[in-house]
Amino acid sequence: MTLALRRNGVPRTVTVIAAVYTLTPVSGTAVLTTAAGRRLGYLTVKDMISQALAPMETAFSRLKAEGVDDVVLDLRYNGGGLVSTGGTLASYVAGASAGGRRYATLLYNDKQTDSNQTFRFSTPTSALGLPRVVVLTGRRTCSASEQVINGLRGVGVDVVAIGETSCGKPVGSLPIDACGRTYSAINFESVNDRNEGRYFDGFDATCPVAEDFTAVQGSAGDPLMAAAMHFADHGDCLVTLAAGATRKKALSAPGGRGAAGFEGDGRCGMIPR
């Protein structure tokens, strides 16, 4: 595709080529020592895509080998993707105790119940099996990345969210081809093992913390990371943005009811595979 552009009155053309690109969806893996001497594993997961699976295994193999006490998942810029990839990420955290339990069930409307689908926790060899996980969140933490929070809470893992309220998208779409076009209308909602979902207002941060965009993401100077390290040591919040902010609990979805009538919001999706 060739685009004709004009900037400050000067025309130019840009050619855009469709291709398959190698992405880096998992980065920044590190093991840090807190002030109290706890071993804190850290990794950034940018996209819930199949290309994340291999580096995810490498990252958790390292964290397990180094015997981390806590793990921090940086999902602040993760706009979503595949349900299965998010389920794999959650399985590395939850471990054997969650194996076989429901990670997410996708509920369609009452005319499409045959399409309902359940994704279950697996038991990866490098799973950590932690009772608690710290998730760094923001307004771009959306869809399949929010599903990680909801799925882990559904099996009793204590999810400590640090940052800002997530985007609020407990629904997704199964793209449908018709008449030469592909439609991605919202057609299912997601619930966890306790049938909790419908978090349309997003998940509030346990510890609300504002970002400092001059700091290196995941470094000791990153306010979200500093708050995570403090929480690992003390079990409380270092900094809050607003008094009285609390963790938002998911609402229970009525049994058998799907997501008919929900509208998409243009943000990244949750894809059922």
Side-chain angles (χ1 to χ4, degrees), residues 116-131:
N116 291 353
Q117 185 176 6
T118 293
F119 292 80
R120 298 188 179 277
F121 282 91
S122 59
T123 53
T125 303
S126 301
L128 300 178
L130 298 174

PDB file of all heavy atoms in Angstrom, residues 116-131:
ATOM      1  N   ASN A 116     -19.912 -22.040  23.956  1.00  0.00           N
ATOM      2  CA  ASN A 116     -19.221 -21.800  25.227  1.00  0.00           C
ATOM      3  C   ASN A 116     -17.959 -22.655  25.311  1.00  0.00           C
ATOM      4  O   ASN A 116     -17.953 -23.818  24.905  1.00  0.00           O
ATOM      5  CB  ASN A 116     -20.136 -22.109  26.404  1.00  0.00           C
ATOM      6  CG  ASN A 116     -21.274 -21.118  26.537  1.00  0.00           C
ATOM      7  OD1 ASN A 116     -21.322 -20.110  25.825  1.00  0.00           O
ATOM      8  ND2 ASN A 116     -22.208 -21.397  27.433  1.00  0.00           N
ATOM      9  N   GLN A 117     -16.908 -22.062  25.848  1.00  0.00           N
ATOM     10  CA  GLN A 117     -15.600 -22.729  25.829  1.00  0.00           C
ATOM     11  C   GLN A 117     -14.867 -22.477  27.138  1.00  0.00           C
ATOM     12  O   GLN A 117     -14.878 -21.355  27.665  1.00  0.00           O
ATOM     13  CB  GLN A 117     -14.781 -22.193  24.651  1.00  0.00           C
ATOM     14  CG  GLN A 117     -13.450 -22.866  24.422  1.00  0.00           C
ATOM     15  CD  GLN A 117     -12.759 -22.317  23.173  1.00  0.00           C
ATOM     16  OE1 GLN A 117     -13.226 -21.364  22.562  1.00  0.00           O
ATOM     17  NE2 GLN A 117     -11.630 -22.903  22.812  1.00  0.00           N
ATOM     18  N   THR A 118     -14.220 -23.501  27.668  1.00  0.00           N
ATOM     19  CA  THR A 118     -13.480 -23.372  28.913  1.00  0.00           C
ATOM     20  C   THR A 118     -11.993 -23.614  28.684  1.00  0.00           C
ATOM     21  O   THR A 118     -11.611 -24.578  28.013  1.00  0.00           O
ATOM     22  CB  THR A 118     -14.006 -24.360  29.970  1.00  0.00           C
ATOM     23  OG1 THR A 118     -15.336 -23.993  30.345  1.00  0.00           O
ATOM     24  CG2 THR A 118     -13.128 -24.341  31.218  1.00  0.00           C
ATOM     25  N   PHE A 119     -11.170 -22.736  29.240  1.00  0.00           N
ATOM     26  CA  PHE A 119      -9.716 -22.880  29.231  1.00  0.00           C
ATOM     27  C   PHE A 119      -9.292 -23.207  30.662  1.00  0.00           C
ATOM     28  O   PHE A 119      -9.736 -22.545  31.608  1.00  0.00           O
ATOM     29  CB  PHE A 119      -9.040 -21.593  28.770  1.00  0.00           C
ATOM     30  CG  PHE A 119      -9.289 -21.267  27.319  1.00  0.00           C
ATOM     31  CD1 PHE A 119     -10.489 -20.678  26.919  1.00  0.00           C
ATOM     32  CD2 PHE A 119      -8.341 -21.547  26.353  1.00  0.00           C
ATOM     33  CE1 PHE A 119     -10.726 -20.381  25.588  1.00  0.00           C
ATOM     34  CE2 PHE A 119      -8.567 -21.250  25.018  1.00  0.00           C
ATOM     35  CZ  PHE A 119      -9.768 -20.672  24.631  1.00  0.00           C
ATOM     36  N   ARG A 120      -8.446 -24.204  30.812  1.00  0.00           N
ATOM     37  CA  ARG A 120      -8.055 -24.656  32.145  1.00  0.00           C
ATOM     38  C   ARG A 120      -6.577 -24.372  32.435  1.00  0.00           C
ATOM     39  O   ARG A 120      -5.762 -24.263  31.524  1.00  0.00           O
ATOM     40  CB  ARG A 120      -8.350 -26.155  32.302  1.00  0.00           C
ATOM     41  CG  ARG A 120      -9.835 -26.466  32.162  1.00  0.00           C
ATOM     42  CD  ARG A 120     -10.177 -27.902  32.513  1.00  0.00           C
ATOM     43  NE  ARG A 120     -11.606 -28.121  32.369  1.00  0.00           N
ATOM     44  CZ  ARG A 120     -12.509 -27.820  33.286  1.00  0.00           C
ATOM     45  NH1 ARG A 120     -12.101 -27.304  34.457  1.00  0.00           N
ATOM     46  NH2 ARG A 120     -13.799 -28.025  33.080  1.00  0.00           N
ATOM     47  N   PHE A 121      -6.273 -24.258  33.723  1.00  0.00           N
ATOM     48  CA  PHE A 121      -4.888 -24.088  34.134  1.00  0.00           C
ATOM     49  C   PHE A 121      -4.099 -25.345  33.783  1.00  0.00           C
ATOM     50  O   PHE A 121      -4.574 -26.466  33.971  1.00  0.00           O
ATOM     51  CB  PHE A 121      -4.795 -23.853  35.646  1.00  0.00           C
ATOM     52  CG  PHE A 121      -5.133 -22.454  36.077  1.00  0.00           C
ATOM     53  CD1 PHE A 121      -6.433 -22.113  36.423  1.00  0.00           C
ATOM     54  CD2 PHE A 121      -4.146 -21.483  36.144  1.00  0.00           C
ATOM     55  CE1 PHE A 121      -6.746 -20.829  36.833  1.00  0.00           C
ATOM     56  CE2 PHE A 121      -4.446 -20.191  36.550  1.00  0.00           C
ATOM     57  CZ  PHE A 121      -5.751 -19.861  36.895  1.00  0.00           C
ATOM     58  N   SER A 122      -2.902 -25.145  33.287  1.00  0.00           N
ATOM     59  CA  SER A 122      -1.991 -26.250  33.012  1.00  0.00           C
ATOM     60  C   SER A 122      -0.937 -26.312  34.109  1.00  0.00           C
ATOM     61  O   SER A 122      -0.957 -25.516  35.052  1.00  0.00           O
ATOM     62  CB  SER A 122      -1.340 -26.053  31.639  1.00  0.00           C
ATOM     63  OG  SER A 122      -0.619 -24.825  31.600  1.00  0.00           O
ATOM     64  N   THR A 123      -0.025 -27.261  33.990  1.00  0.00           N
ATOM     65  CA  THR A 123       1.027 -27.399  35.003  1.00  0.00           C
ATOM     66  C   THR A 123       2.404 -27.425  34.320  1.00  0.00           C
ATOM     67  O   THR A 123       3.030 -28.474  34.182  1.00  0.00           O
ATOM     68  CB  THR A 123       0.837 -28.678  35.837  1.00  0.00           C
ATOM     69  OG1 THR A 123       0.718 -29.794  34.939  1.00  0.00           O
ATOM     70  CG2 THR A 123      -0.415 -28.580  36.698  1.00  0.00           C
ATOM     71  N   PRO A 124       2.887 -26.253  33.878  1.00  0.00           N
ATOM     72  CA  PRO A 124       4.205 -26.199  33.233  1.00  0.00           C
ATOM     73  C   PRO A 124       5.305 -26.664  34.185  1.00  0.00           C
ATOM     74  O   PRO A 124       5.215 -26.477  35.407  1.00  0.00           O
ATOM     75  CB  PRO A 124       4.370 -24.713  32.898  1.00  0.00           C
ATOM     76  CG  PRO A 124       2.994 -24.126  32.969  1.00  0.00           C
ATOM     77  CD  PRO A 124       2.265 -24.927  33.986  1.00  0.00           C
ATOM     78  N   THR A 125       6.341 -27.261  33.637  1.00  0.00           N
ATOM     79  CA  THR A 125       7.453 -27.760  34.443  1.00  0.00           C
ATOM     80  C   THR A 125       8.098 -26.647  35.260  1.00  0.00           C
ATOM     81  O   THR A 125       8.529 -26.861  36.400  1.00  0.00           O
ATOM     82  CB  THR A 125       8.521 -28.401  33.534  1.00  0.00           C
ATOM     83  OG1 THR A 125       7.913 -29.440  32.764  1.00  0.00           O
ATOM     84  CG2 THR A 125       9.655 -28.987  34.356  1.00  0.00           C
ATOM     85  N   SER A 126       8.132 -25.443  34.700  1.00  0.00           N
ATOM     86  CA  SER A 126       8.793 -24.320  35.382  1.00  0.00           C
ATOM     87  C   SER A 126       7.830 -23.473  36.208  1.00  0.00           C
ATOM     88  O   SER A 126       8.184 -22.354  36.597  1.00  0.00           O
ATOM     89  CB  SER A 126       9.503 -23.436  34.349  1.00  0.00           C
ATOM     90  OG  SER A 126      10.457 -24.176  33.627  1.00  0.00           O
ATOM     91  N   ALA A 127       6.632 -23.991  36.474  1.00  0.00           N
ATOM     92  CA  ALA A 127       5.656 -23.219  37.260  1.00  0.00           C
ATOM     93  C   ALA A 127       6.203 -22.944  38.661  1.00  0.00           C
ATOM     94  O   ALA A 127       6.876 -23.792  39.261  1.00  0.00           O
ATOM     95  CB  ALA A 127       4.337 -23.971  37.343  1.00  0.00           C
ATOM     96  N   LEU A 128       5.882 -21.768  39.194  1.00  0.00           N
ATOM     97  CA  LEU A 128       6.403 -21.360  40.493  1.00  0.00           C
ATOM     98  C   LEU A 128       5.497 -21.759  41.650  1.00  0.00           C
ATOM     99  O   LEU A 128       5.957 -21.955  42.767  1.00  0.00           O
ATOM    100  CB  LEU A 128       6.609 -19.839  40.509  1.00  0.00           C
ATOM    101  CG  LEU A 128       7.576 -19.288  39.461  1.00  0.00           C
ATOM    102  CD1 LEU A 128       7.651 -17.771  39.562  1.00  0.00           C
ATOM    103  CD2 LEU A 128       8.953 -19.911  39.606  1.00  0.00           C
ATOM    104  N   GLY A 129       4.198 -21.841  41.411  1.00  0.00           N
ATOM    105  CA  GLY A 129       3.267 -22.234  42.471  1.00  0.00           C
ATOM    106  C   GLY A 129       3.249 -21.266  43.636  1.00  0.00           C
ATOM    107  O   GLY A 129       3.364 -21.670  44.797  1.00  0.00           O
ATOM    108  N   LEU A 130       3.092 -19.980  43.336  1.00  0.00           N
ATOM    109  CA  LEU A 130       3.133 -18.951  44.380  1.00  0.00           C
ATOM    110  C   LEU A 130       1.738 -18.617  44.913  1.00  0.00           C
ATOM    111  O   LEU A 130       0.771 -18.615  44.158  1.00  0.00           O
ATOM    112  CB  LEU A 130       3.767 -17.679  43.821  1.00  0.00           C
ATOM    113  CG  LEU A 130       5.217 -17.800  43.340  1.00  0.00           C
ATOM    114  CD1 LEU A 130       5.669 -16.503  42.684  1.00  0.00           C
ATOM    115  CD2 LEU A 130       6.137 -18.166  44.495  1.00  0.00           C
ATOM    116  N   PRO A 131       1.615 -18.313  46.202  1.00  0.00           N
ATOM    117  CA  PRO A 131       0.314 -17.917  46.750  1.00  0.00           C
ATOM    118  C   PRO A 131      -0.037 -16.465  46.434  1.00  0.00           C
ATOM    119  O   PRO A 131      -1.189 -16.050  46.597  1.00  0.00           O
ATOM    120  CB  PRO A 131       0.493 -18.106  48.257  1.00  0.00           C
ATOM    121  CG  PRO A 131       1.955 -17.866  48.482  1.00  0.00           C
ATOM    122  CD  PRO A 131       2.652 -18.416  47.259  1.00  0.00           C
TER     123      PRO A 131
END
